[in-house]
Amino acid sequence: MAQFEEVSVNSKLHPKPEGLIMQYGTAGFRSNAKHLDHIMFRMGLLATLRSKKTKFTIGVMVTASHNPEEDNGVKLIDPMGEMVAVEWEIYATQLANAEQDSLLHELKSIIEAEGIDLTEPAYVFVGRDTRPSSASLSQAVVDGVCSLGGKILDYGLVTTPQLHYMVCCCNTKSCYGSATLEGYYQKLSQAFLQLTHNVPNRTDDQKRLVVDGANGIGALKMKELEPFIRSELQVLLSNDGSQGKLNHLCGADYVKVQQKAPQGVTLVEGERCCSFDGDADRIVYYYTDSKGSFHLLDGDKIATLISTFLKELLTQAELNLQIAVVQTAYANGSSTRYLEDIMKVVVCCTKTGVKHLHHAAQKYDIGVYFEANGHGTVLFSKAAHKQILELVKDPNINDERKHAAKLLENTVNLINQTVGDAISDMMLIEAVLAIRGMSVQDWDSIYTDLPNRQLKVTVSDRRVIDTTDAERRAVTPGGLQDAIDALVKKYKSARAFVRPSGTEDVVRVYAEADSQESADCLAHEVSLAVHHLAGGVGEKPKPLH
Ligand code: 16G
Ligand code: ZN
């Protein structure tokens, strides 16, 4: 067929370095940008097949999120804006690793296995972040799509969640919104303004927010959004990309890991600040108190704020909808305890990685999911959304119920339900703080985080560690879990787990306890156990103190 001919010719312009093996990991392919040209071309091919198979538009985002500027990566987006189905992650890996002369064979085997009709049309949306390598890499995706006769809409510079949003809008025939940047800003900002503009007594201080754009795409997009929301929020943008390097000493990952303010942000006592990551799908907040201590409000605090707000609205609206919070093993024990014991909210724990949380959240009327690292959103089931809309229109209800229903309706419109979205999350958090008249300190004091520590251990093969119970217990190697259990027993309010990273060649260790010293000691002792029992490489982990 002529199409295969074209693939064959064009693939030679995007040759695979011989012997290079890569894996479609938790967040797609990621590595140094110079190894990715052939991967991009091939993901263009795969997205085209996925579109022909599903008869929907598929998205391809070129980004490496919080990784250094020299890296890049690519992720596929399924029709409703969710991460690509797991079975197709396997195809992605097969296609990426096929040597040049077996590419067509690999492609044909996917077509056959999926029963794809090549005469079907295909549509692919492409987006990219601000990395210097992203423009040429996204062109390689375009080449792949065109080689198989697919049609492209290249959105150019967009955040990851914006591209997810566009894909969902397109495939719902604009029910979710219009698939343009203008449409995105309009929908979100209108919801934000409706939530905030009637809130009494908001001072200028409360309307002000410092935003660290990580010198990336989030900064660019904040500048575009700003005129839409200016009347209710004054954004002070730093790390806007005009000088600094992407993710370097700034951004959500830096702030979360280092537990300190990013370069370029001078903390003023009590002033709210937030940081986006390099593709604006994560957000964390922070401030400094009167003693100059740094306080981080991570994904767990965000989930608590939002779920508490929603639960109150459901009570006021007298709507009987089940709300659940989905977390991972990294969620601070204090947050889980607060949600379960005080808020009486269902809490469920999944494996790390957005797709697992997203999937679990879909099981509830309202599923709030956040990873501690700041990635998260809220999902409303179709039935829940319908009930909310009906209540808003119901002429027979009192003002309090109507008001609560209206707030719920605007919340649904404000949150990007396709994936965690720093811009959308930021506006929802700002709206909730305004409506509830809370300062950032009030929010922070909902519960106190247990001190915790994360470490990494290098082992010869991290796959020797197999976990269960949402990664909270190690099944292999033998004896490791028993060793962890014995160590945890030595400390108060302690918890620890280990898991192989999905993005780096290391084993991650997490520990929490009633004091920082105990958390540090426990993390170190668990690291030693991993090093000893799971094939540690190099020197033994050293104590932190
Ligand atoms: C990826 C995941 C993120 C997860 C992180 C864990 C997506 C889109 N991103 O960045 O959710 O927290 O990996 O990394 O799923 P790790 O496996 O190296 O700890
Ligand atoms: Zn990201």
Side-chain angles (χ1 to χ4, degrees):
M1 257 178 105
Q3 275 174 338
F4 289 127
E5 193 58 32
E6 221 175 312
V7 171
S8 179
V9 171
N10 292 344
S11 74
K12 296 196 180 85
L13 305 172
H14 303 280
K16 173 184 178 295
E18 231 180 88
L20 181 67
I21 301 290
M22 278 198 227
Q23 188 91 25
Y24 193 97
T26 335
F29 291 103
R30 241 180 240 188
S31 86
N32 187 294
K34 58 178 187 258
H35 303 311
L36 287 171
D37 185 63
H38 68 293
I39 300 268
M40 297 292 166
F41 176 78
R42 292 165 183 214
M43 289 309 104
L45 298 176
L46 192 67
T48 312
L49 293 187
R50 182 82 182 139
S51 175
K52 286 177 191 282
K53 164 86 189 189
T54 59
K55 304 190 174 57
F56 281 114
T57 295
I58 296 297
V60 182
M61 182 70 196
V62 176
T63 180
S65 184
H66 57 277
N67 283 38
E69 189 168 273
E70 301 70 38
D71 286 2
N72 218 322
V74 60
K75 261 190 288 200
L76 264 56
I77 303 169
D78 251 3
M80 288 306 121
E82 68 279 45
M83 306 287 170
V84 75
V86 181
E87 314 87 73
W88 281 67
E89 290 186 359
I90 300 165
Y91 294 146
T93 302
Q94 285 169 359
L95 208 55
N97 294 329
E99 293 304 339
Q100 206 59 33
D101 52 6
S102 52
L103 177 62
L104 279 190
H105 173 77
E106 209 56 68
L107 201 62
K108 285 176 188 167
S109 78
I110 298 171
I111 292 168
E112 201 183 298
E114 290 292 324
I116 293 166
D117 175 1
L118 283 182
T119 63
E120 284 286 339
Y123 302 92
V124 177
F125 284 180
V126 180
R128 64 171 196 269
D129 71 11
T130 55
R131 282 162 217 270
S133 60
S134 291
S136 72
L137 289 176
S138 75
Q139 186 53 47
V141 174
V142 172
D143 290 353
V145 174
C146 295
S147 300
L148 268 180
K151 294 217 161 44
I152 278 279
L153 180 52
D154 187 352
Y155 279 89
L157 292 164
V158 282
T159 69
T160 296
Q162 284 177 334
L163 192 67
H164 283 254
Y165 179 91
M166 302 307 167
V167 170
C168 179
C169 288
C170 171
N171 290 321
T172 55
K173 303 215 163 24
S174 302
C175 280
Y176 195 61
S178 102
T180 60
L181 275 174
E182 176 77 16
Y184 170 91
Y185 295 129
Q186 287 283 1
K187 179 180 172 184
L188 269 59
S189 64
Q190 265 172 28
F192 175 70
L193 295 178
Q194 292 208 22
L195 283 169
T196 48
H197 82 278
N198 278 334
V199 174
N201 308 327
R202 276 180 83 207
T203 61
D204 285 348
D205 273 1
Q206 288 160 343
K207 285 190 181 184
R208 197 167 51 222
L209 175 69
V210 175
V211 178
D212 156 27
N215 290 317
I217 186 70
L220 278 187
K221 299 298 149 181
M222 271 311 292
K223 284 186 198 161
E224 291 175 8
L225 169 74
E226 197 271 335
F228 290 84
I229 58 169
R230 190 176 285 164
S231 60
E232 293 300 327
L233 191 69
Q234 191 201 348
V235 172
L236 304 169
L237 189 62
S238 61
N239 299 319
D240 67 353
S242 55
Q243 294 166 6
K245 206 172 164 183
L246 176 71
N247 295 331
H248 182 60
L249 305 177
C250 61
D253 201 58
Y254 174 84
V255 173
K256 166 86 181 151
V257 174
Q258 302 295 327
Q259 303 262 336
K260 64 179 182 198
Q263 205 171 60
V265 170
T266 312
L267 295 179
V268 175
E269 184 193 327
E271 184 165 66
R272 283 193 316 287
C273 307
C274 67
S275 286
F276 297 175
D277 75 337
D279 62 341
D281 64 352
R282 289 191 196 177
I283 184 169
V284 295
Y285 270 68
Y286 43 94
Y287 72 98
T288 183
D289 64 20
S290 55
K291 295 189 198 111
S293 300
F294 178 83
H295 294 255
L296 177 75
L297 295 103
D298 62 3
D300 303 337
K301 290 252 157 141
I302 297 172
T304 307
L305 180 77
I306 293 175
S307 55
T308 311
F309 173 71
L310 289 172
K311 185 149 190 225
E312 274 179 19
L313 291 183
L314 290 179
T315 309
Q316 285 163 16
E318 295 171 32
L319 273 174
N320 186 19
L321 296 172
Q322 191 185 32
I323 177 165
V325 176
V326 182
Q327 304 183 316
T328 70
Y330 288 107
N332 195 278
S334 292
S335 73
T336 315
R337 212 159 304 127
Y338 177 81
L339 287 165
E340 283 181 334
D341 299 351
I342 314 282
M343 288 308 301
K344 310 281 182 216
V345 169
V346 174
V347 178
C348 126
C349 185
T350 70
K351 282 159 74 169
T352 302
V354 172
K355 61 180 176 232
H356 302 295
L357 289 109
H358 192 91
H359 189 69
Q362 282 172 328
K363 296 192 183 120
Y364 302 92
D365 296 328
I366 302 178
V368 179
Y369 75 82
F370 269 87
E371 289 194 297
N373 63 26
H375 185 116
T377 185
V378 185
L379 304 185
F380 293 84
S381 71
K382 274 207 178 96
H385 192 193
K386 189 160 163 261
Q387 280 192 44
I388 292 167
L389 292 182
E390 279 170 5
L391 200 62
V392 171
K393 291 201 201 96
D394 190 339
N396 302 317
I397 58 169
N398 64 31
D399 286 353
E400 193 198 359
R401 284 185 75 190
K402 184 152 252 129
H403 180 64
K406 208 60 209 140
L407 291 178
L408 281 167
E409 183 192 13
N410 282 316
T411 303
V412 174
N413 289 333
L414 178 50
I415 197 86
N416 182 349
Q417 294 189 56
T418 63
V419 79
D421 182 336
I423 290 179
S424 148
D425 290 345
M426 176 204 82
M427 283 194 275
L428 180 55
I429 293 163
E430 290 301 305
V432 174
L433 292 176
I435 292 164
R436 302 188 72 195
M438 288 168 86
S439 66
V440 69
Q441 294 92 329
D442 297 334
W443 171 20
D444 193 28
S445 64
I446 294 180
Y447 65 84
T448 307
D449 274 324
L450 278 171
N452 56 85
R453 177 66 61 194
Q454 288 192 49
L455 297 174
K456 311 181 201 185
V457 185
T458 310
V459 298
S460 58
D461 181 2
R462 68 192 198 276
R463 288 171 302 183
V464 301
I465 297 199
D466 193 14
T467 63
T468 183
D469 190 21
E471 303 178 320
R472 288 174 291 193
R473 298 189 67 77
V475 185
T476 58
L480 179 59
Q481 190 57 50
D482 290 342
I484 296 173
D485 289 342
L487 293 168
V488 166
K489 274 205 190 111
K490 288 169 48 187
Y491 300 94
K492 244 175 98 184
S493 309
R495 190 169 71 89
F497 66 89
V498 302
R499 55 176 281 279
S501 158
T503 64
E504 250 186 282
D505 196 9
V506 294
V507 173
R508 298 206 191 279
V509 171
Y510 176 91
E512 65 185 29
D514 66 335
S515 72
Q516 191 61 55
E517 204 188 338
S518 298
D520 289 352
C521 288
L522 177 57
H524 172 245
E525 289 168 352
V526 172
S527 301
L528 282 176
V530 170
H531 195 269
H532 178 59
L533 297 166
V537 168
E539 273 184 51
K540 278 193 205 167
K542 292 205 174 59
L544 283 116
H545 303 287

